[in-house]
Amino acid sequence: MMKIKNVTVFGSGVLGAQIAFQTAYRGYQVTLFDIKDELLEQAKLKFAQFKEFYQQDLNAPPADLDDALTRIYFTTDLAESVKDADLTIEAIPENIQIKKEFYTRLGAVAPAKTIFCTNSSTLLPSQFAVETGRPGQFLALHFANYLWKNNVAEIMGHAGTDQEIFDQVVQFAKSIGMLAIPIYKEQPGYVMNSLLVPWLMAGLDLFRNGIADAASIDKTWMKTLGATLGPMAMSDLVGMNTAYNVIKSYAESTGDEVWKQRQDFMKENFIDKNKLGISSGEGFYKYPNPAYQDADFLK
Ligand code: NAD
């Protein structure tokens, strides 16, 4: 088994910046690639912010955070970015065409040893395995937002992924501090969204069909299961934009009438009214002091 030392992250956006920082923090040499220098400059600003989060949330020693930064190299040259990469993690836009074109270019310049991982949330590795030119060394390594504290990583190959490569990526995920979740077959939404999306939709359907109000739906779930949140509060936390985009993509990909009704309902009642959840101060609840945080909510 090859020892992974050099990791390249493609895309310095929301997730790519977090993946690069966490990987460097755990001792790897990291190269961060993006298409423009300005974007890499913005990533450096994000790292300054991450240092504060890591100190607050993880009690991370400042010297370790400074060391992490010395291990990150920035480039806009794709061939340069992978010249000695053992493993790569792609976090570029969630668009099948962009990913296919990117992997075609990457496959042509990366050394034969390099393992390719995608952080895609909704696409399956089999949808662009051929473009990588090395399907056996290609799989998904999927992180969650705020990964230093929501440190779960789902590892999912396609039918042609080599078992040894899969196992190696599981070990890598553990080595950067993730709770590694191996997934044995391709599954849209991995484990997490396969659980979360139907749960959120069940709550939304009870609400939009006038079966119960948001607080009653959440109270039922919280009281019965001893949970700290119900599906309506969770929708506010995820944010209505994200929820709407997920619903829209299901509506478009399935053509199913129920998904279309959910999409229309979300648009009319939340998106168009700027009720975007916690970020805009209102969703199913009003913030900063939502009712579900009242001491009396479950009485
Ligand atoms: P983002 O838009 O914040 O960042 C994407 C980055 O990719 C940008 O910096 C952009 O400049 C760069 N980019 C654009 N075209 C490129 C190209 N051709 N080659 C290389 N880089 C290019 O996106 P994000 O939210 O970080 O999402 C990236 C991936 O991570 C997506 O596949 C998404 O599904 C997945 N993901 C996102 C989240 C999340 O909460 N945002 C969570 C898990 C997984």
Side-chain angles (χ1 to χ4, degrees):
M1 209 182 249
M2 166 184 61
K3 177 141 178 48
I4 293 171
K5 285 195 300 221
N6 302 322
V7 176
T8 300
V9 177
F10 306 116
S12 64
V14 176
L15 256 284
Q18 294 180 27
I19 296 166
F21 191 79
Q22 176 70 17
T23 305
Y25 179 63
R26 286 302 184 121
Y28 291 90
Q29 290 297 326
V30 174
T31 300
L32 182 56
F33 167 87
D34 211 313
I35 47 179
K36 287 191 191 136
D37 286 322
E38 305 91 271
L39 297 164
L40 294 172
E41 289 306 315
Q42 284 169 21
K44 290 178 189 168
L45 299 178
K46 285 185 206 153
F47 293 158
Q49 225 184 2
F50 294 167
K51 281 168 64 175
E52 288 175 25
F53 293 149
Y54 275 57
Q55 286 180 60
Q56 279 163 24
D57 297 338
L58 306 178
N59 224 354
D64 291 3
L65 297 167
D66 289 334
D67 279 355
L69 290 183
T70 66
R71 286 189 285 272
I72 306 177
Y73 172 77
F74 301 84
T75 183
T76 53
D77 180 330
L78 187 64
E80 165 77 19
S81 79
V82 285
K83 68 178 193 302
D84 197 21
D86 301 311
L87 182 134
T88 64
I89 305 168
E90 166 268 307
I92 72 169
E94 190 71 342
N95 173 302
I96 184 82
Q97 214 43 49
I98 293 178
K99 297 223 197 247
K100 280 186 175 180
E101 281 165 25
F102 175 78
Y103 277 105
T104 304
R105 285 195 295 131
L106 175 65
V109 293
K113 67 169 181 175
T114 312
I115 298 170
F116 293 172
C117 300
T118 177
N119 182 46
S120 174
S121 293
T122 60
L123 302 168
L124 295 169
S126 58
Q127 288 179 270
F128 41 107
V130 171
E131 282 75 9
T132 67
R134 61 188 74 191
Q137 284 161 244
F138 175 59
L139 67 167
L141 170 58
H142 180 243
F143 295 90
N145 201 6
Y146 306 111
L147 59 81
W148 63 92
K149 46 182 187 170
N150 299 335
N151 56 327
V152 173
E154 296 173 289
I155 297 98
M156 183 174 82
H158 59 96
T161 305
D162 290 348
Q163 187 62 41
E164 194 189 318
I165 299 286
F166 182 92
D167 294 343
Q168 215 171 345
V169 173
V170 170
Q171 289 311 319
F172 168 75
K174 289 181 183 172
S175 77
I176 59 165
M178 298 295 122
L179 171 64
I181 307 295
I183 297 178
Y184 303 133
K185 287 182 182 174
E186 272 199 336
Q187 164 71 21
Y190 303 85
V191 170
M192 182 60 212
N193 283 332
S194 299
L195 293 169
L196 181 63
V197 174
W199 179 64
L200 294 178
M201 291 308 110
L204 177 66
D205 288 349
L206 289 169
F207 179 83
R208 72 183 177 91
N209 292 327
I211 311 292
D213 59 44
S216 297
I217 296 167
D218 280 356
K219 282 178 190 176
T220 310
W221 184 266
M222 290 163 71
K223 189 76 176 174
T224 315
L225 296 176
T228 51
L229 286 179
M232 316 317 280
M234 182 58 85
S235 294
D236 284 356
L237 194 77
V238 168
M240 297 306 181
N241 271 329
T242 301
Y244 177 75
N245 286 333
V246 170
I247 291 170
K248 184 163 170 275
S249 86
Y250 275 101
E252 285 167 2
S253 64
T254 62
D256 183 277
E257 188 51 34
V258 175
W259 282 106
K260 180 79 180 81
Q261 287 164 3
R262 289 171 179 153
Q263 182 188 341
D264 293 346
F265 183 85
M266 286 294 284
K267 182 160 188 320
E268 207 173 301
N269 293 281
F270 294 96
I271 307 296
D272 289 352
K273 293 183 175 162
N274 199 38
K275 292 185 183 176
L276 304 179
I278 296 178
S279 64
S280 74
E282 187 171 355
F284 287 110
Y285 295 89
K286 290 204 166 101
Y287 296 84
N289 299 308
Y292 58 84
Q293 284 178 351
D294 287 351
D296 289 345
F297 189 61
L298 294 182
K299 290 199 177 134

